[in-house]
Amino acid sequence: MHRPTYLKAGDKVRIISTARKVTPEDMDKAASILNEWGLQVVFGNNLFEDNHQFAGTDAQRAADLQAAIDDPHCKAIFCARGGYGSMRIINAVNWSNIISSPKWLIGFSDISVLLFRLYYLGIESIHGIMPGLFSKDKAGDSVDMLRRLLFSGPEPITAPESEFSRHGEASGRLVGGNLSMISIMEGTSFNVPSVSNILFIEDLDEYLYHVDRMMVHLKLSGVLESLAGLVVGQMSGMNDNPIPFGKQAYQIIHEHVKEYQYPVGYNFNIGHDYPNHPVIHGAKCTLKVTSEGNAKLSFD
């Protein structure tokens, strides 16, 4: 795996949207923050296009991603926000220039599919907060952690005890992201690698029975049994039916992995809540869960 060069003052970066539409106000605020970091910010030509819920047509969003990939002076690509749409354009882009000249791509949620695409190209990327959220209440710590990662490298993440934690220690490459996207990608060429990696998952606004169905899918497809470890992030805003499912998200996940022996850590600040701790997707890491249930994820 290739790790792009960390940023420095004066570097050029681009903000694009591969998914939902964004407002100039939010992007101007984000650009102001990036300027304070010493970065030169360029907006994608189609960033403010409006095609129903999308930031322009598939062709327009793909063109902005292609331009960012092909720009030899661009050192990082900030995906403006998630929602839905990145999967629609993933095969409409020529990735060859990012292979020969790796650069950071930053995003989470719907952007998970792009992180996996880069993994299979041998390039590390960043699962972290996006410009559309930079100016939101409580986002300050997440933004600052992203800055430190981009300029100085990753920091370890700790998580408190959970009744569902399974102690142990494992090393591997960190892969994952949004559980819904991971489940949907299974069976495609962007699925979870079938080697002993550490998988991290998070999700937002899902029905509890959907969480169960996705975990069953990952079990039936062989993903869960092939892991070296599991990191469970924020399962935010879960929904239930009038007839309750009867279990909460962490309990559902626990029941589907309890037969395996690898370490499992819960309560990690990765996902749609704050703070959203950025991590390097594809990086070598170590997960250690103590007998007391405390967990730590550290990077090489």
Side-chain angles (χ1 to χ4, degrees), residues 9-129:
D11 280 346
K12 176 183 176 181
V13 300
R14 286 179 177 256
I15 300 178
I16 64 168
S17 182
T18 58
R20 280 199 179 171
K21 58 188 177 184
V22 297
T23 67
E25 179 183 12
D26 282 343
M27 293 302 100
D28 286 342
K29 290 178 179 177
S32 178
I33 291 171
L34 295 177
N35 288 152
E36 290 175 2
W37 297 359
L39 301 175
Q40 301 179 39
V41 181
V42 175
F43 290 157
N45 288 337
N46 301 298
L47 180 60
F48 302 118
E49 293 296 327
D50 183 340
N51 182 41
H52 303 294
Q53 64 179 250
F54 299 117
T57 64
D58 288 352
Q60 288 173 323
R61 300 195 317 281
D64 277 3
L65 177 56
Q66 188 70 67
I69 290 171
D70 293 343
D71 183 351
H73 303 293
C74 174
K75 302 302 181 182
I77 304 168
F78 288 84
C79 295
R81 63 157 300 166
Y84 171 63
S86 301
M87 183 175 278
R88 293 176 59 94
I89 67 170
I90 194 166
N91 282 334
V93 174
N94 183 334
W95 297 86
S96 59
N97 281 333
I98 205 168
I99 298 172
S100 59
S101 182
K103 62 187 71 179
W104 292 110
L105 186 141
I106 303 104
F108 75 107
S109 195
D110 185 69
I111 311 305
S112 297
V113 66
L114 301 183
L115 306 185
F116 273 91
R117 182 70 180 98
L118 289 170
Y119 176 90
Y120 280 106
L121 294 174
I123 300 169
E124 296 178 356
S125 52
I126 295 176
H127 182 281
I129 192 168

Side-chain angles (χ1 to χ4, degrees), residues 284-298:
K284 289 182 179 179
C285 67
T286 298
L287 171 65
K288 184 176 182 179
V289 184
T290 69
S291 57
E292 292 80 25
N294 300 310
K296 182 177 181 179
L297 184 65
S298 54

Side-chain angles (χ1 to χ4, degrees), residues 178 180 257 268:
N178 182 257
S180 299
V257 301
F268 279 87

Side-chain angles (χ1 to χ4, degrees), residues 175-217:
V175 297
N178 182 257
L179 177 60
S180 299
M181 294 301 300
I182 291 168
S183 178
I184 290 168
M185 289 187 291
E186 196 58 34
T188 74
S189 56
F190 315 116
N191 59 349
V192 176
S194 59
V195 294
S196 296
N197 286 323
I198 294 174
L199 177 68
F200 70 98
I201 57 175
E202 62 83 27
D203 219 323
L204 169 73
D205 194 27
E206 274 292 352
Y207 277 88
L208 292 168
Y209 84 92
H210 287 180
V211 174
D212 186 75
R213 181 168 62 194
M214 291 185 287
M215 293 301 295
V216 170
H217 182 198

Side-chain angles (χ1 to χ4, degrees), residues 12 63 94 151 195 212 223 248 252 269 274 286:
K12 176 183 176 181
N94 183 334
F151 282 81
V195 294
D212 186 75
V223 169
Q248 295 303 308
I252 293 168
N269 286 326
Y274 302 109
T286 298

Side-chain angles (χ1 to χ4, degrees), residues 251-268:
Q251 184 180 1
I252 293 168
I253 295 167
H254 167 71
E255 289 193 351
H256 288 296
V257 301
K258 65 182 180 181
E259 66 191 79
Y260 308 116
Q261 300 304 310
Y262 48 74
V264 183
Y266 294 79
N267 293 319
F268 279 87

Side-chain angles (χ1 to χ4, degrees), residues 139-150:
D141 287 345
S142 305
V143 174
D144 194 51
M145 286 187 288
L146 177 61
R147 178 189 60 79
R148 296 199 303 269
L149 190 160
L150 281 167

